[in-house]
Amino acid sequence: QVQLVESGGGLVQAGDSLRLSCGASGRTFSSYGMGWFRQALGKEREFVAAISRSGIYTYYADSVKGRFTISRDNAKNTVYLQMNSLKPEDTAVYYCAAQLGDSYLYTRSRYGYWGQGTQVTVSS
């Protein structure tokens, strides 16, 4: 099993940047494909970005492509989400998720482990 803890959320203005971090417990972090999802008030949880176990492959939702960057440091058991040029529509609770393997990393149902979420609020 793996436990995930997100950090780095906050209140920023449109155009600003934030970096989210997700720390994972356990010694097998490199066995997990990792993803970031977000859920705005009253909406479904949606895919944001994902990264394969090795970090070689990354995937992004169209809405964040070119603005967000996902990365991981397997030595530190941490995955990051660098968010640039933030927009008010990026406002949401951001969740880190983990799955054993690299299968359908953009699909929410493939992830068995979730963090508690961190709030990101972007004011206009």
Side-chain angles (χ1 to χ4, degrees):
Q1 285 204 355
V2 62
Q3 292 184 321
L4 306 171
V5 179
E6 303 98 333
S7 61
L11 171 62
V12 296
Q13 293 188 330
D16 285 352
S17 297
L18 272 178
R19 188 175 81 155
L20 304 183
S21 299
C22 173
S25 64
R27 296 178 293 176
T28 59
F29 180 67
S30 60
S31 299
Y32 293 87
M34 300 297 296
W36 285 97
F37 291 76
R38 67 186 181 186
Q39 187 166 16
L41 199 62
K43 295 190 176 182
E44 295 273 326
R45 192 172 299 187
E46 65 175 4
F47 169 74
V48 175
I51 189 166
S52 63
R53 290 171 292 175
S54 65
I56 292 176
Y57 301 104
T58 57
Y59 308 88
Y60 297 94
D62 288 344
S63 58
V64 306
K65 205 170 290 184
R67 299 188 297 123
F68 290 12
T69 302
I70 188 170
S71 61
R72 67 188 296 161
D73 185 336
N74 285 346
K76 295 183 178 180
N77 283 14
T78 304
V79 62
Y80 305 97
L81 185 67
Q82 177 67 44
M83 305 186 295
N84 298 330
S85 303
L86 282 161
K87 305 176 181 179
E89 51 263 43
D90 294 319
T91 295
V93 178
Y94 283 71
Y95 296 91
C96 174
Q99 60 155 278
L100 275 172
D102 289 332
S103 176
Y104 297 95
L105 287 171
Y106 44 83
T107 303
R108 186 178 69 185
S109 62
R110 290 285 183 167
Y111 290 85
Y113 305 97
W114 293 84
Q116 82 289 350
T118 185
Q119 177 72 47
V120 172
T121 303
V122 184
S123 64
S124 57

